[in-house]
């Protein structure tokens, strides 16, 4: 048996649905990758032999392989990102679209994105994952819907990158099938035939999708949006997801332009459209979900739909303020997403927690949107949005996915209470991150699944070069 005791944390956010305390620390079994004990204040783990008081640093003592003093750390469940487009790290802060709303931003970026190559996607994915990981994220969802010529293996490339970094991921096989010539938004050369999309979706699920507790890689199906896929593909994707028992994802109700598109093309509002194509169920999680009326919020909650709230992206594209508190109160699972890096432009999830707090307070007031509530969105809420109950909270039997933040920099000096400090003072980076009982970040730096520190300098140099090539054509 191999055990790690994270001893005497400064504070722990255990997450939703638990009355336990872990002021004395957390014990992890590194063989099963799970949490095996929460230690009350002033006590020692019952699962190990008594340990000397002096044993406060790393190294074998008692029944533990490692005892780490975490009295300078705040511990949260590993943060879970529910919406991203990894490839967009190649088009961050690009001046031609820096000041555009969604539709103009998209139509200018599509031709650039259409030049994506396997090498560029591999680098972009690694950059996004490493950035997320170092911000405390242990599970990342990606929505990849770009399959221009030569990009047939896009999701396979992402799976490899996830495995190299040792994170968990929900990789979605996205799709676009409604090009400009047929009244859609994307250029014709970026759309695919429905038969190709559905066959590849099935292949990816059958090849990579893991089920049950501790899954590392999962696959979902994700037609891009109402304005880029046909009604038939929406319907067929829902049927295939039910057949394969995997999750469904799409962008919905992000902007008023999209609402107008749905009214004009389908004669329906967005949620009616969703219902008409068989998507109004608990398999579905939606990116953004901003422009819903009261009745739609009640319907989404009753159906058990989830929403990935992406505050920074919504502010940058001036899309609107999601009704996150009302959605949650109606029964919708609310998770957080950084969204793609062309509309955020950072893949930093702990920063997104702070953004969510402030944006939602503008709508609902300070009392309704607490630091704990937004941390729960980024953890238990996000886990539920991805259909998982083995991650997102710190409890015995759950996966040992943890983020440890130090509060000893200038930004935290003079702060009093650790959990509010983590959110309000603006934490940027985790000091340590554990995924399934294995350290994937130490001293703020990503460690690959092979145990080697990620060569960030080389990664950035190669990624920059690909980014330059992409926009220069
Ligand atoms: Zn998106």
């Amino acid at each position: 048996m191999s055990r790690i005791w994270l001893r005497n944390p400064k504070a722990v956010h255990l997450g939703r649905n638990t009355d336990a305390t872990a002021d004395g620390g957390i014990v992890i079994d590194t063989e099963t990758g799970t949490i095996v004990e929460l230690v009350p204040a002033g006590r020692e783990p019952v699962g190990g032999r008594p340990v000397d008081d002096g044993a406060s640093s790393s190294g074998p003592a008692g029944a533990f392989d490692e005892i780490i003093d975490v009295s300078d750390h705040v511990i949260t469940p590993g943060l879970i990102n529910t919406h991203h487009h990894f490839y967009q790290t190649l088009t961050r802060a690009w001046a031609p679209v820096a000041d555009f709303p969604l539709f103009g931003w998209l139509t200018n970026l599509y031709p650039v994105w259409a030049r994506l190559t396997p090498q560029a996607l591999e680098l972009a994915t690694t950059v996004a994952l490493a950035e997320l990981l170092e911000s405390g994220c242990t599970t990342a969802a990606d929505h990849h819907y770009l399959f221009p010529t030569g990009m047939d293996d896009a999701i396979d490339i992402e799976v490899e990158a996830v495995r190299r970094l040792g994170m968990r991921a929900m990789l979605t096989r996205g799709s676009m099938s409604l090009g400009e010539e047929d009244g859609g938004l994307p250029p014709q050369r970026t759309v695919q035939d429905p038969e190709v999309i559905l066959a590849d979706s099935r292949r990816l699920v059958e090849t990579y999708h893991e089920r049950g507790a501790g899954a590392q890689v999962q696959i979902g199906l994700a037609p891009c949006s109402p304005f880029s896929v046909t009604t038939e593909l929406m319907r067929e994707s829902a049927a295939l997801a039910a057949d394969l028992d995997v999750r469904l994802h799409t962008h919905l109700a992000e902007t008023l332009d999209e609402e107008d598109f749905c009214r004009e093309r389908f004669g329906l509002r967005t949620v009616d459209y969703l219902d008409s194509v068989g998507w109004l169920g608990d398999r579905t999680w939606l990116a953004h979900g901003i422009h819903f009326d009261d009745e739609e919020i009640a319907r989404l909650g009753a159906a058990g739909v989830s929403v990935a709230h992406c505050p920074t992206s919504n502010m940058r594209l001036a899309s609107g303020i999601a009704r996150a508190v009302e959605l949650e109160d109606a029964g919708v699972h609310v998770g957080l997403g950084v969204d793609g890096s062309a509309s955020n432009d950072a893949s930093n999830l702990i920063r997104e927690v702070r953004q969510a707090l402030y944006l939602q307070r503008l709508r609902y007031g300070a009392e309704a949107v607490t630091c704990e509530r937004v941390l729960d969105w980024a953890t238990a809420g996000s886990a539920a949005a991805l259909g998982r109950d083995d991650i997102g909270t710190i409890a015995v039997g759950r996966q040992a996915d943890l983020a440890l933040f130090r509060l000893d920099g200038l930004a935290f000096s003079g702060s009093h209470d650790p959990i509010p400090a983590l959110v309000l003072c603006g934490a940027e980076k985790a000091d340590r991150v554990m995924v399934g009982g294995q350290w994937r970040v130490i001293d703020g730096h990503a460690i690959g699944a092979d145990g080697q520190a990620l060569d960030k300098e080389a990664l950035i140099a190669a990624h920059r070069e690909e980014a330059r090539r992409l926009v220069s054509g």
Side-chain angles (χ1 to χ4, degrees):
M1 194 182 298
S2 307
R3 297 199 166 197
I4 296 176
W5 178 16
L6 303 176
R7 189 182 196 220
N8 297 337
K10 184 186 273 296
V12 182
H13 180 75
L14 293 168
R16 213 174 268 168
N17 302 329
T18 173
D19 300 323
T21 61
D23 294 343
I26 300 167
V27 180
I28 293 120
D29 183 330
T30 58
E31 277 168 27
T32 62
T34 57
I35 296 164
V36 291
E37 192 174 345
L38 301 182
V39 185
R43 303 267 288 280
E44 290 181 343
V46 294
R49 292 208 312 271
V51 176
D52 290 340
D53 267 345
S56 58
S57 58
S58 306
F64 296 94
D65 297 282
E66 207 175 5
I67 299 172
I68 301 177
D69 177 85
V70 289
S71 53
D72 286 332
H73 292 85
V74 174
I75 305 181
T76 69
L79 308 181
I80 299 168
N81 189 48
T82 56
H83 187 63
H84 206 314
H85 311 285
F86 295 154
Y87 74 88
Q88 290 182 11
T89 57
L90 294 156
T91 50
R92 293 196 230 229
W94 188 47
V97 297
D99 306 317
F100 281 7
L102 183 70
F103 276 20
W105 173 90
L106 273 173
T107 48
N108 281 278
L109 279 164
Y110 281 140
V112 174
W113 292 338
R115 293 194 285 265
L116 190 68
T117 63
Q119 161 81 357
L121 178 63
E122 188 201 322
L123 290 162
T125 300
T126 307
V127 164
L129 288 171
E131 200 185 350
L132 280 167
L133 185 61
E134 291 188 358
S135 77
C137 175
T138 50
T139 301
D142 192 59
H143 186 177
H144 189 88
Y145 51 80
L146 257 190
F147 295 84
T149 308
M151 288 302 299
D152 299 339
D153 296 337
I155 306 299
D156 307 72
I157 290 167
E158 292 192 345
V159 170
E160 285 308 307
V162 166
R163 288 181 176 163
R164 275 198 300 274
L165 282 171
M167 292 175 72
R168 299 185 204 280
M170 165 64 83
L171 302 173
T172 62
R173 203 302 180 184
S175 52
M176 298 201 291
S177 66
L178 186 68
E180 279 168 328
E181 289 169 14
D182 301 309
L185 210 61
Q188 213 60 30
R189 68 181 184 282
T190 61
V191 304
Q192 289 182 295
D193 289 338
E195 301 74 44
V196 172
I197 293 166
L198 294 166
D200 194 43
S201 299
R202 180 179 285 279
R203 173 187 74 85
L204 289 164
V205 172
E206 289 173 351
T207 308
Y208 297 118
H209 185 70
E210 298 170 34
R211 299 181 192 273
Q216 182 179 14
V217 172
Q218 297 195 313
I219 304 288
L221 308 190
C224 189
S225 60
F227 50 83
S228 58
V229 299
T230 59
T231 302
E232 294 71 39
L233 183 62
M234 285 295 284
R235 221 175 258 129
E236 285 163 5
S237 296
L240 183 60
D243 182 33
L244 298 171
D245 190 20
V246 294
R247 294 187 77 73
L248 276 171
H249 184 49
T250 193
H251 294 95
L252 199 81
E254 181 175 4
T255 65
L256 293 172
D257 285 345
E258 179 198 320
E259 193 175 296
D260 292 343
F261 179 95
C262 285
R263 264 216 202 86
E264 282 160 27
R265 188 174 174 94
F266 313 118
L268 297 169
R269 284 180 54 82
T270 54
V271 174
D272 290 327
Y273 178 62
L274 202 69
D275 197 4
S276 76
V277 289
W279 277 58
L280 206 57
D282 60 7
R283 193 183 294 288
T284 298
W285 93 100
L286 305 169
H288 306 297
I290 297 171
H291 301 284
F292 297 136
D293 63 24
D294 293 347
E295 188 239 324
E296 289 168 332
I297 288 174
R299 283 169 72 194
L300 292 164
V305 169
S306 304
V307 165
H309 175 39
C310 306
T312 303
S313 171
N314 298 161
M315 288 189 271
R316 173 171 159 180
L317 296 175
S319 303
I321 306 178
R323 297 171 67 178
V325 168
E326 290 161 278
L327 284 163
E328 185 168 62
D329 291 348
V332 170
H333 301 297
V334 174
L336 288 191
V338 298
D339 201 1
S341 301
S343 67
N344 181 322
D345 307 46
S347 308
N348 188 310
L349 197 47
I350 189 62
R351 194 190 285 169
E352 204 65 19
V353 170
R354 187 174 192 237
Q355 297 280 69
L357 177 101
Y358 290 140
L359 182 62
Q360 291 299 322
R361 280 189 175 187
L362 284 180
R363 190 183 266 281
Y364 297 107
E367 287 155 335
V369 186
T370 64
C371 295
E372 288 77 8
R373 186 170 195 167
V374 286
L375 278 171
D376 283 342
W377 288 346
T379 53
S382 286
L386 301 186
R388 299 189 69 148
D389 59 9
D390 59 328
I391 55 175
T393 55
I394 296 175
V396 172
R398 297 287 159 86
Q399 295 298 304
D401 290 10
L402 303 168
L404 284 68
F405 298 88
R406 293 181 76 98
L407 304 183
D408 53 2
L410 272 180
F412 301 97
S413 182
S415 66
H416 295 274
D417 298 301
I419 299 295
L422 179 70
V423 180
L424 300 176
C425 296
E428 291 279 324
K429 290 194 78 171
D431 181 56
R432 279 178 173 258
V433 177
M434 176 180 276
V435 183
Q438 304 296 317
W439 291 116
R440 298 304 185 208
V441 172
I442 293 179
D443 295 335
H445 296 288
I447 310 289
D450 60 0
Q452 303 296 309
L454 186 70
D455 185 348
K456 282 186 274 191
E457 226 170 278
L459 175 64
I460 291 166
H463 182 250
R464 267 197 182 147
E465 187 49 38
E466 290 293 341
R468 207 173 292 131
R469 233 174 33 79
L470 203 65
V471 297
S472 59

